[in-house]
Amino acid sequence: MSDDSGVERHGTDAAVVEIDPSAVQLLATADRNGVVETMHHGVAIALGVDGEVVASLGDPSVTIYPRSALKPFQTAAMLSLGLDLPDRLVALATASHAGARLHLDGVVEILSSVGLGLEALGNTPDRPLDPTEREASIVAGRSPSSLQQNCSGKHAAMLVTCRINGWPLDDYLDVEHPLQRAIVTTIDGLGASVRHIGIDGCGAPTHALELGEMAQALRRLALDDSPVLAAMSAYPEMVAGRTLDDTMWMQAVPGLAAKRGANGVMALVRTDGRAAVLKVADGSDLARRVATVEALRHLGVDVDGEHRATTEQMAAPVLGHGAPVGTHRAAPWK
């Protein structure tokens, strides 16, 4: 199904859009006892201060689902529609959170700002993303819930935006809902044409974009002094969690905004407009973590000196009998 803009909305009966294998290149490898065992391919781009391509890998014109790396754009749309939250809750609206108490309490606070309760949330019930929080939830006998699911901050903000604008709440996840149409308009307005709209794991519409255009859209947000990016970098613990690499890099690098997306996506942007986006073709999170270090190197972050300690925390070892026998390594970009 498509609207009058020609954007393909979603549908399982449509032909599958294939990616040309030549569009991807080697992004990372993993060795076991000195022999390369696994190769991860992908696409990546890094932009300089003037918006020029300073490094890339594969074909940046490939269309990807950024998944949760879209959240800065979705939150920017909601702020333009009147959403008014303190910065720490703006960061939470942009989060794929770990499910810690500060995240869950923040979601309740967002909803209660317009008199809504947890029953309004329409995202898919789940347990916390963080393994420790997940285990604690199980031990406490809590059932999976929309509150605990990592996108609950975004969904709470969506509901509040609908209430502010007098829009219906029951169908806020429908691709034809005024909120979802406004999000498409915002993304398009930032220069990243929405190529397709699918349904994300949390139940919200998710938008397919050209990877290179997405990087340029992030750059535009930065140059426009986006309050979303400022909130993310000011409250990195609200965006993810203490063990998640987007939080860790934002804590280490002042002014950096970082947002990971499911199945191997990372989006990065600095206040001066330098931006990078990468996608691991097979969705490997370990490959994404080491490739993120390479992306930051091209954004001028001293990953081998000043921020070496954080880089070392990103190590993705290959285990043999419970001990490290190899590691994941990022391939260089050109």
Side-chain angles (χ1 to χ4, degrees), residues 27 44-46 55-57 276-278 291-292 294-296 298 330-334:
L27 187 68
I45 190 171
S56 65
L57 190 149
V277 181
L278 66 91
T292 295
E294 183 70 11
L296 289 165
H298 291 294
W333 302 8
K334 298 179 180 179

Side-chain angles (χ1 to χ4, degrees), residues 169-203:
L169 304 182
D170 291 346
D171 62 345
Y172 78 96
L173 297 179
D174 191 293
V175 293
E176 304 299 339
H177 190 281
L179 170 64
Q180 304 303 337
R181 283 184 168 269
I183 289 172
V184 172
T185 298
T186 294
I187 297 172
D188 282 339
L190 289 167
S193 299
V194 174
R195 308 291 177 176
H196 188 86
I197 303 177
I199 302 301
D200 213 336
C202 66

Side-chain angles (χ1 to χ4, degrees), residues 27-330:
L27 187 68
T29 61
D31 76 280
R32 182 177 298 277
N33 298 102
V35 176
V36 171
E37 179 179 38
T38 308
M39 294 180 290
H40 303 278
H41 293 75
V43 186
I45 190 171
L47 305 177
V49 174
D50 296 327
E52 75 280 14
V53 178
V54 295
S56 65
L57 190 149
D59 181 0
S61 71
V62 70
T63 296
I64 68 165
Y65 274 126
R67 301 293 296 278
S68 283
L70 281 168
K71 287 176 180 174
F73 303 136
Q74 293 168 317
T75 304
M78 290 188 277
L79 292 181
S80 74
L81 293 166
L83 180 67
D84 185 13
L85 297 171
D87 283 353
R88 64 183 175 82
L89 297 182
V90 171
L92 182 58
T94 317
S96 300
H97 64 70
R101 178 48 54 189
L102 79 163
H103 301 126
L104 307 188
D105 289 347
V107 172
V108 172
E109 186 177 350
I110 292 172
L111 291 169
S112 63
S113 69
V114 293
L116 293 175
L118 295 175
E119 69 282 352
L121 290 170
N123 53 309
T124 308
D126 202 353
R127 296 191 189 277
L129 186 65
D130 180 81
T132 301
E133 300 292 347
R134 178 179 290 255
E135 181 64 23
S137 174
I138 294 171
V139 170
R142 290 190 288 270
S143 298
S145 67
S146 294
L147 173 63
Q148 297 173 88
Q149 198 266 342
N150 71 90
C151 297
S152 58
K154 175 183 75 176
H155 284 256
M158 285 181 169
L159 287 161
V160 171
T161 303
C162 290
R163 174 59 61 88
I164 289 169
N165 286 277
W167 293 331
L169 304 182
D170 291 346
D171 62 345
Y172 78 96
L173 297 179
D174 191 293
V175 293
E176 304 299 339
H177 190 281
L179 170 64
Q180 304 303 337
R181 283 184 168 269
I183 289 172
V184 172
T185 298
T186 294
I187 297 172
D188 282 339
L190 289 167
S193 299
V194 174
R195 308 291 177 176
H196 188 86
I197 303 177
I199 302 301
D200 213 336
C202 66
T206 188
H207 309 86
L209 312 175
E210 283 192 10
L211 181 134
E213 288 187 354
M214 181 180 172
Q216 292 287 357
L218 285 169
R219 177 175 180 272
R220 183 166 177 181
L221 276 183
L223 296 181
D224 289 344
D225 296 322
S226 166
V228 177
L229 302 183
M232 292 170 67
S233 60
Y235 292 93
E237 72 280 4
M238 298 300 285
V239 177
R242 57 185 178 82
T243 63
L244 296 165
D245 61 327
D246 36 6
T247 285
M248 295 166 71
W249 279 117
M250 286 188 287
Q251 289 173 330
V253 183
L256 176 70
K259 186 69 195 73
R260 74 194 189 286
N263 287 333
V265 179
M266 178 62 90
L268 305 155
V269 62
R270 306 191 73 174
T271 53
D272 60 7
R274 285 177 286 182
V277 181
L278 66 91
K279 162 68 179 177
V280 184
D282 65 6
S284 168
D285 194 56
L286 294 177
R288 181 195 58 73
R289 283 172 68 97
V290 297
T292 295
V293 176
E294 183 70 11
L296 289 165
R297 180 176 286 112
H298 291 294
L299 297 187
V301 177
D302 187 5
V303 295
D304 301 309
E306 179 183 1
H307 300 293
R308 184 177 182 83
T310 305
T311 297
E312 290 174 348
Q313 289 179 285
M314 300 303 142
V318 174
L319 301 181
H321 199 48
V325 296
T327 191
H328 289 73
R329 293 182 175 85

